Amino acid sequence: MTILNVVKEHFWGFLAATGMTLQLTAVSLVLAVVIGLLFAFLKLSKNRAANIFADAYIGLTRGMPLIVQLMFLYFGISSILVLSPFWAGSLALAFHAGGYVAEILRGAIQNTDSGQTEAARSLGMSRFKAMRLIVLPQAFRRAIPPLGNQFIIGLKDSTLVAYLGVPELFSKAMTAAAANYQPFETYLVAGTYYLVLVMIFTWMVNKLEKRLTPHRQEATL
Amino acid sequence: MSVIDIKGLHKSFGDMHVLKGIDLTVEPGEVVVIIGPSGSGKSTLLRCINFLEFPDEGEIHVNGELIDPKKTNLDKVRQHMGMVFQQFQLFPHKNVLHNITIAPIEVKGLPHKKANAIARDLLEKVGLPDREKAWPSELSGGQKQRVAIARALAMDPDIMLFDEVTSALDPELVNEVLQVMQELAAGGMTMVVVTHEMGFAREMADRVVMMADGMIVEQGTPEQMFDGPQEERTQTFLGQVL
Ligand SMILES: Nc1ncnc2c1ncn2[C@@H]1O[C@H](COP(=O)(O)OP(=O)(O)OP(=O)(O)O)[C@@H](O)[C@H]1O
Ligand SMILES: [Mg+2]
């Protein structure tokens, strides 16, 4: 059984590379949420210039193939400042996912009943406090399913960073396949790693959503 | 000095002229009940009083101070006015206690202990002493509204604004909310109440204000308004609702 041989030979190596994949995914997604939140606010702002800027960013990230953005940003970023492939890759992935996260969060914020903001303001809260204490917690809660989805996409998108020379799972698989002439078995094994990661992640998102459900209803009446 | 003093208030939404020159004063301890047909601008007036809507024209004095929405710190003004909404608007991600303490803690900077004590005291007052850990979704409409009243009272306001706070309730839950309002009025709270509950108006109002079509058409004591309204529009309206 050649698959077993591949597993035997690469189990630990792939697992280590999975660690790199997870780091890459985690860092880029945290950054993507920060970027996404920023652009969600720009998009919701009453300032025309801010809207246009946000639209341009979201349009760019959604309108071009990820690999093109990765290459462009990688060479763009590294021509200005010296970054390790890991950080260049993380930033590029974050830039890409940020556009999607921005749209998710904008929708979630907009779907929060304006009466909630009014109630908060009527108690003397500033616009900022009403947003931070009342609207955003509800918006994030509502955004968990689409954000979880986006995170799964981000995990799978991280494979493309292999082309920037980051030693993550997919690049390890490519190297192994080139060396053992068993691409089918090798990619099947690597694919299984991703599948298991996604399953674990989906389970965690569902758990989180359930945990936050008891008081979720009636956010908007 | 009046708590609220409104002169010549106008408000439009687009080309819809909703408030057409409102003059209204509210004295300390007074209970003013606003009645009138749907769309007459009652909610808009209430929302202008705490500047959830900005007036287009006219003056609003709060505790003697002329408020300029562009210059005055409105957060400060609103801290001294409680508002209760038809749809409760409890914060669904906070339990009952936190719904009540969040503004005292975050806005006034009260220590948690003090805020909790105030909240428990108020929950006692609105008849929900044992529900502080409940989530809003676990409460009945009447309980929600009583928590909403406690939440507004926790800021120790000078005046309370009520916008049809019993309209979204099942009929059997209306009384428990009205009773809380009644006790509040009896305790000397200054209140502006928009309501269709004519029983409450007759019993609790110091003054009843009839609005129609963006204007105050008539005002007076409950006896004057209910037993001998002068204006035809008041007569027609009361004829429909009584
Ligand atoms: N934000 C807004 N934008 C546009 N139109 C509005 C807005 N708020 C209120 N209106 C309109 O202004 C008019 C007066 O509304 P308002 O809510 O003040 O009436 P109301 O007397 O409270 O009526 P109801 O008894 O039905 O609550 C209505 O025709 C309403 O559609
Ligand atoms: Mg109304």
Side-chain angles (χ1 to χ4, degrees), chain B residues 13 16 18 36-45 53 163-164 196:
Chain B
F13 295 108
M16 185 166 29
V18 176
S38 181
S40 55
K42 306 180 298 293
S43 296
T44 306
L45 172 59
E53 302 287 356
D163 192 0
E164 297 196 30
H196 292 301

Side-chain angles (χ1 to χ4, degrees), chain A:
Chain A
M1 273 292 276
T2 47
I3 284 200
L4 282 182
N5 286 336
V6 172
V7 171
K8 223 187 274 169
E9 193 174 338
H10 292 292
F11 183 82
W12 294 108
F14 278 9
L15 205 60
T18 301
M20 179 56 80
T21 287
L22 284 175
Q23 281 178 48
L24 201 58
T25 308
V27 169
S28 65
L29 290 176
V30 168
L31 288 175
V33 169
V34 175
I35 296 173
L37 193 56
L38 179 75
F39 278 92
F41 282 132
L42 289 180
K43 199 146 182 208
L44 289 169
S45 143
K46 290 202 180 77
N47 184 317
R48 246 341 249 140
N51 300 159
I52 292 171
F53 182 57
D55 279 338
Y57 165 71
I58 293 167
L60 274 181
T61 58
R62 300 212 295 188
M64 287 195 297
L66 174 54
I67 188 72
V68 176
Q69 292 180 46
L70 282 180
M71 291 298 175
F72 181 79
L73 282 168
Y74 178 62
F75 292 110
I77 292 172
S78 41
S79 71
I80 306 169
L81 71 173
V82 185
L83 279 180
S84 66
F86 175 83
W87 279 102
S90 297
L91 284 176
L93 285 173
F95 174 85
H96 174 71
Y100 290 89
V101 172
E103 280 296 58
I104 291 170
L105 292 180
R106 179 191 59 78
I109 291 170
Q110 248 171 355
N111 281 337
T112 304
D113 185 353
S114 62
Q116 288 281 303
T117 305
E118 290 187 346
R121 300 301 303 274
S122 80
L123 290 164
M125 285 187 207
S126 63
R127 193 187 286 274
F128 178 75
K129 278 208 168 120
M131 181 52 76
R132 179 168 66 84
L133 299 169
I134 306 303
V135 177
L136 278 184
Q138 296 181 50
F140 267 109
R141 186 157 301 156
R142 201 162 318 117
I144 287 173
L147 277 182
N149 230 347
Q150 189 57 43
F151 287 6
I152 287 169
I153 293 171
L155 171 68
K156 293 187 291 181
D157 280 350
S158 73
T159 47
L160 289 173
V161 177
Y163 295 107
L164 306 184
V166 182
E168 45 68 75
L169 180 54
F170 183 64
S171 83
K172 272 282 175 336
M174 284 199 295
T175 316
N180 64 15
Y181 299 108
Q182 295 176 325
F184 175 78
E185 291 82 357
T186 309
Y187 287 123
L188 188 65
V189 172
T192 308
Y193 276 66
Y194 282 106
L195 189 63
V196 170
L197 284 184
V198 168
M199 280 161 56
I200 293 173
F201 196 77
T202 307
W203 177 81
M204 279 168 28
V205 169
N206 286 341
K207 240 350 208 204
L208 183 66
E209 207 197 340
K210 284 236 176 59
R211 228 189 54 158
L212 297 172
T213 303
H215 41 270
R216 223 164 58 104
Q217 69 189 74
E218 223 212 20
T220 40
L221 243 172

